[in-house]
Amino acid sequence: MISSSHLQERHWRSEEVPSCDGVNPVCSPELELIDNTQRRYNPVNLKCGVTVQLGENVLRDSPDIIDIMNHDLTSCLSVLPASVGWLVKRTHIWVNRTYAYGNIHAPTVVSHSTAHHFPGWLLWVQDKAEKEASIEIYNSVEYLNLRLHYNGCGLMLHELCHIIHQTTLPGGLSNMLVIEMHKIAKESGKYSRVLRRDWALNEVDTDVAYCTLNHKEFFAEISVSYLSDFYHDVDGTGTVDMAKCSPPFVSPVVLGRMQQKHHIRNNGKSLVEWRDLTKFGRGLPHCNKFFPFTKGQLRRYDPRVYKCFSKLWQYIESWEDMDRRCKCKIGCI
């Protein structure tokens, strides 16, 4: 069963521009619309080489955001092949404290993170076209909370994988191998009911895997698992028991549930030990929020998908960044 919030997340993250049916604000000039082109951002060059554009009130309400963004992006660069390093560093990250679009008197508020592939969605929500080929965080506080279900950089890695998909693979977002494998995986039934870590210790801790939404989310989601070559102690621990097959938890929400239900141990350590070790999710490598959580689990759970992604990432490793090559030539003149 998919929660209503999950359904909303699926709709928002698709970035599909609705048709002109009277609801689309671009097609309804009589409405008084929120003008997101007037949003102000301050650029911050992180130590890792990525530029983050911070919106108003972000630092006020998320004072650790710069350090955490630098940590997450540095971690992403460490697990991604060197071939995409320059691509990551030239991808701007736009960070908002809050974000809304549409009718100023009845706005649509969003709080997820997304990759902007094309300008269509940006124009539809009256935003800056220059955000194309970048990543946007619509709510900085929500990002800091959600990233903990990935033990750190996994959420940012998911968005970067969208950019990598579009930029590096033959055919970009229309890569036929990704489209075909998404169809096969979805029809296999393996992803119709999987564990999700943010629901741990709830009455229901399984859901439809987010990778089933479309082939773009399939590539990003499975890539996060494929690139998590960590937590090998959970590789062969099954697929249905969260306590056995999940990497350790660092989200205060989940830790609170563990404490309430007297689960005083978290993968071999006390809750206090994990809180000290994993402040801001910095002490652990990433994993995925949805099962399979790691590369080892993906290899065992779905060998066919694993083999496909091995080929895809081997291709990405050999990809030549022509934009960097051109800049290097210009710099040598």
Side-chain angles (χ1 to χ4, degrees), residues 22-317:
V23 177
N24 185 329
V26 172
C27 303
S28 305
E30 69 278 5
L31 293 179
E32 188 178 0
L33 303 176
I34 296 172
D35 185 1
N36 285 307
T37 63
Q38 299 304 308
R39 285 179 170 267
R40 296 181 178 181
Y41 296 91
N42 292 318
V44 176
N45 298 319
L46 301 179
K47 293 179 181 178
C48 66
V50 178
T51 298
V52 173
Q53 302 280 353
L54 296 182
E56 295 179 353
N57 299 324
V58 169
L59 285 177
R60 184 197 67 187
D61 295 344
S62 307
D64 297 307
I65 191 72
I66 293 176
D67 287 342
I68 293 175
M69 293 293 289
N70 186 68
H71 169 272
D72 284 359
L73 288 159
T74 299
S75 299
C76 288
L77 286 166
S78 72
V79 298
L80 288 166
S83 59
V84 298
W86 178 252
L87 173 61
V88 171
K89 291 180 180 181
R90 69 173 183 264
T91 300
H92 284 212
I93 316 294
W94 303 81
V95 185
N96 307 275
R97 175 58 189 89
T98 59
Y99 192 96
Y101 66 87
N103 187 341
I104 196 170
H105 302 295
T108 298
V109 178
V110 290
S111 60
H112 62 289
S113 303
T114 192
H116 294 305
H117 294 296
F118 306 108
W121 169 264
L122 295 165
L123 296 174
W124 189 72
V125 297
Q126 308 290 293
D127 208 335
K128 306 173 189 288
E130 66 188 272
K131 290 182 178 180
E132 181 183 2
S134 69
I135 291 168
E136 184 150 25
I137 294 170
Y138 287 127
N139 187 309
S140 58
V141 173
E142 187 72 1
Y143 174 82
L144 296 182
N145 291 329
L146 292 179
R147 63 183 289 280
L148 295 177
H149 297 302
Y150 300 79
N151 286 1
C153 78
L155 179 54
M156 180 60 69
L157 184 60
H158 174 106
E159 302 304 342
L160 287 172
C161 284
H162 281 307
I163 302 295
I164 292 168
H165 183 184
Q166 179 181 16
T167 308
T168 68
L169 293 181
L173 296 175
S174 297
N175 180 271
M176 291 309 300
L177 181 56
V178 174
I179 292 173
E180 179 184 356
M181 191 51 58
H182 168 252
K183 183 174 182 293
I184 291 171
K186 189 172 182 179
E187 291 177 350
S188 73
K190 287 179 177 285
Y191 300 90
S192 60
R193 188 179 179 86
V194 300
L195 294 170
R196 54 179 293 175
R197 283 162 45 85
D198 56 331
W199 288 4
L201 295 178
N202 282 339
E203 288 187 14
V204 177
D205 61 4
T206 59
D207 195 6
V208 179
Y210 190 62
C211 70
T212 62
L213 176 59
N214 57 46
H215 65 282
K216 293 179 289 186
E217 299 302 342
F218 177 72
F219 178 81
E221 274 291 283
I222 299 299
S223 290
V224 171
S225 299
Y226 181 82
L227 294 168
S228 177
D229 196 8
F230 312 108
Y231 306 111
H232 298 295
D233 55 321
V234 300
D235 283 355
T237 52
T239 65
V240 297
D241 188 339
M242 184 78 80
K244 291 181 178 179
C245 66
S246 174
F249 300 99
V250 299
S251 166
V253 175
V254 177
L255 292 177
R257 289 188 211 128
M258 293 175 69
Q259 209 162 28
Q260 290 174 2
K261 299 190 178 184
H262 308 292
H263 287 253
I264 62 170
R265 307 296 289 181
N266 184 10
N267 206 17
K269 292 185 182 291
S270 70
L271 295 181
V272 174
E273 286 176 305
W274 277 121
R275 286 197 183 101
D276 291 341
L277 174 65
T278 61
K279 186 178 182 183
F280 303 131
R282 293 174 181 170
L284 293 172
H286 84 275
C287 62
N288 207 339
K289 184 174 77 173
F290 287 86
F291 187 87
F293 306 121
T294 68
K295 185 173 190 174
Q297 290 179 334
L298 175 64
R299 184 189 297 116
R300 287 169 170 78
Y301 185 66
D302 200 338
R304 189 171 184 180
V305 166
Y306 176 84
K307 185 177 180 180
C308 169
F309 273 74
S310 294
K311 292 180 179 179
L312 289 169
W313 280 97
Q314 285 172 11
Y315 180 88
I316 294 169
E317 287 176 12

